[in-house]
Amino acid sequence: MPSSLNKPPTPPTVPPPLLCPSPPPLKNIHFQQPVRRILTPSDLALFQSSQTHTLIMSFIKDLNNSVLNLPLSHPAPRPAIVDELISVLDAVDAIVDRHPAEEAGGSRFGNAAFRGFYDEDGVIKKGAIQEIKAYFAEAFGNRTRIDYGSGHELNYLIYLLCLRQLSLLPPSTYTPIVLHLFTRYLTLMRRIQTTYYLEPAGSHGVWGLDDYQFLPFLFGSSQLYSHPYLRPKCIHDDEILEQFSKEYIYLSCISFINSIKVTAGLRWHSPMLDDISNARNWAKINGGMMSMYEKEVLGKLPIMQHFLFGGLVSAVEGMGGGDGDGEDGEDGEREVVDREGMTHVHSTWGECCGIKVPAAIGARKAGEQASLRKVPRIPFD
């Protein structure tokens, strides 16, 4: 391939236009307790053609465009509202301190101490608007299954979208939202995942992009969009990862995965990320990530059946009216009852909550403990 084809794309000379419509007038918002409305493939189809779907994708694209070619050290002004939202995550971090993992519960399938963290009457249950706190409470994993996945990550995004719909997060906050607030959420979730051995909810790390997250790879590829010398294949270079993982979210994610999945290599435990590294440039990856998110997260019934609709992020008429017929749908999807007694749609791969899959974090720690060699006592006469 000629080297010219591998050159990074020319960065835009002007900021990309905003795609999100203006927030609605507050008097037009009818607040309500968010509920599930996507119960069948027909409901999902209605959602995919709705203004709410367009709103969510537009918000994601605006956030993505706001960090185009910007490292984490970029001196973007940080509004007070962003600092306040970071302090909320700091308070959640403090809850983890008060609920350490149970020694007897060191299972590869999740530590029961997570339920104590989840139930604490603290930040998770606060909020002036019940809609916002509903999304916030769902952003840290499932209490019963002790798992976390892209659907929970989506709840944190919708939590931010709700604040945006209330005109609290104007476009000027988008860059610090990604560079500071979202990265704080990401580091917090890494701590929660490693503390409580959360199961991967759906992706399972083989067929999916990552065990837990999706959006960091999207925003991270935007940061690297026109980088003059870092190419997608650089994720295989340990020295580059060590030097630049503090500046670029994508490389930070690769470093974290490598620190957890220490056996074999990226090709074996994260084949999709390995395949993506062969892309021509970061622009290709960023565009592919955006399409993949729309299809594999917002377009999958096993994930979107958990999505909540209220007044700020509304459903369309006709959604949630069907009772389901229990027949297989697309891609072998079928209706089952999960461990909480709730009707769910699962795929033949056991996505969502049908099959317990051990956390790689817990598997690694269990392996380390099993391999520890006891040093014999040295006899002294």
Side-chain angles (χ1 to χ4, degrees), residues 22-258:
S22 300
L26 288 179
K27 64 180 181 180
N28 293 346
I29 301 175
H30 303 287
F31 299 114
Q32 54 188 288
Q33 179 64 38
V35 296
R36 295 171 63 207
R37 294 290 296 275
I38 298 178
L39 308 178
T40 67
S42 298
D43 295 332
L44 181 61
L46 285 173
F47 165 71
Q48 289 177 301
S49 61
S50 69
Q51 291 183 350
T52 296
H53 181 276
T54 301
L55 174 66
I56 295 172
M57 284 302 301
S58 296
F59 184 57
I60 293 173
K61 290 176 181 178
D62 284 346
L63 291 177
N64 179 73
N65 292 338
S66 74
V67 293
L68 203 65
N69 297 314
L70 298 182
L72 291 176
S73 60
H74 178 74
R78 200 159 92 180
I81 181 65
V82 175
D83 284 330
E84 291 171 8
L85 294 176
I86 290 175
S87 69
V88 171
L89 295 179
D90 291 340
V92 177
D93 205 346
I95 295 177
V96 181
D97 291 332
R98 294 193 290 272
H99 294 274
E102 297 176 2
E103 289 296 331
S107 168
R108 293 169 60 185
F109 292 96
N111 194 290
F114 178 68
R115 297 190 178 109
F117 155 80
Y118 201 94
D119 290 340
E120 178 160 330
D121 189 14
V123 177
I124 290 179
K125 295 187 179 181
K126 289 182 180 179
I129 300 175
Q130 61 181 0
E131 289 195 40
I132 295 178
K133 69 179 182 181
Y135 293 112
F136 187 79
E138 292 294 324
F140 301 95
N142 183 275
R143 179 190 181 279
T144 300
R145 298 190 300 272
I146 314 182
D147 66 7
Y148 176 91
S150 54
H152 301 103
E153 180 188 67
L154 173 60
N155 274 286
Y156 191 73
L157 179 83
I158 302 303
Y159 158 73
L160 297 177
L161 178 57
C162 285
L163 296 175
R164 184 263 176 198
Q165 290 293 84
L166 293 170
S167 300
L168 296 175
L169 293 177
S172 60
T173 65
Y174 290 175
T175 298
I177 281 176
V178 177
L179 297 184
H180 302 290
L181 178 60
F182 187 79
T183 54
R184 180 66 183 93
Y185 170 70
L186 180 60
T187 57
L188 172 59
M189 285 316 308
R190 286 174 181 167
R191 187 186 181 201
I192 292 173
Q193 291 153 13
T194 54
T195 299
Y196 302 115
Y197 303 166
L198 301 190
E199 296 177 37
S203 70
H204 301 171
V206 177
W207 305 287
L209 185 68
D210 175 66
D211 276 4
Y212 300 111
Q213 314 289 162
F214 191 114
L215 290 174
F217 296 96
L218 174 66
F219 299 148
S221 59
S222 178
Q223 286 185 288
L224 291 160
Y225 194 91
S226 301
H227 200 282
Y229 56 88
L230 289 181
R231 300 291 188 268
K233 281 189 177 295
C234 75
I235 66 171
H236 301 287
D237 190 314
D238 292 339
E239 291 186 1
I240 289 179
L241 292 178
E242 182 179 359
Q243 183 176 356
F244 293 98
S245 60
K246 291 181 175 60
E247 287 282 24
Y248 298 101
I249 302 172
Y250 196 105
L251 303 185
S252 171
C253 289
I254 299 297
S255 292
F256 180 70
I257 292 172
N258 288 341

Side-chain angles (χ1 to χ4, degrees), residues 200-381:
S203 70
H204 301 171
V206 177
W207 305 287
L209 185 68
D210 175 66
D211 276 4
Y212 300 111
Q213 314 289 162
F214 191 114
L215 290 174
F217 296 96
L218 174 66
F219 299 148
S221 59
S222 178
Q223 286 185 288
L224 291 160
Y225 194 91
S226 301
H227 200 282
Y229 56 88
L230 289 181
R231 300 291 188 268
K233 281 189 177 295
C234 75
I235 66 171
H236 301 287
D237 190 314
D238 292 339
E239 291 186 1
I240 289 179
L241 292 178
E242 182 179 359
Q243 183 176 356
F244 293 98
S245 60
K246 291 181 175 60
E247 287 282 24
Y248 298 101
I249 302 172
Y250 196 105
L251 303 185
S252 171
C253 289
I254 299 297
S255 292
F256 180 70
I257 292 172
N258 288 341
S259 72
I260 298 303
K261 300 182 177 182
V262 295
T263 58
L266 201 67
R267 179 62 195 165
W268 300 102
H269 56 64
S270 305
M272 184 172 291
L273 288 173
D274 182 76
D275 289 341
I276 291 171
S277 71
N278 292 311
R280 181 180 302 173
N281 51 49
W282 293 106
K284 290 286 186 181
I285 291 179
N286 189 246
M289 289 287 179
M290 190 69 72
S291 299
M292 186 178 174
Y293 193 86
E294 184 171 10
K295 179 180 178 181
E296 300 298 332
V297 178
L298 299 185
K300 289 297 184 181
L301 186 56
I303 296 176
M304 296 308 297
Q305 66 188 329
H306 299 281
F307 192 81
L308 302 174
F309 294 89
L312 290 166
V313 181
S314 59
V316 296
E317 187 175 351
M319 286 175 55
D323 55 5
D325 55 12
E327 295 181 358
D328 288 351
E330 291 185 15
D331 300 323
E333 292 168 348
R334 65 192 187 286
E335 219 175 70
V336 300
V337 177
D338 76 351
R339 282 169 272 168
E340 295 176 295
M342 184 180 294
T343 301
H344 285 236
V345 174
H346 291 169
S347 77
T348 53
W349 292 104
E351 287 184 57
C352 179
C353 50
I355 300 175
K356 287 175 70 66
V357 174
I361 296 165
R364 179 194 172 190
K365 187 163 186 178
E368 289 175 346
Q369 291 174 344
S371 64
L372 287 177
R373 180 174 60 87
K374 294 183 178 179
V375 179
R377 185 176 180 180
I378 300 176
F380 288 95
D381 294 328

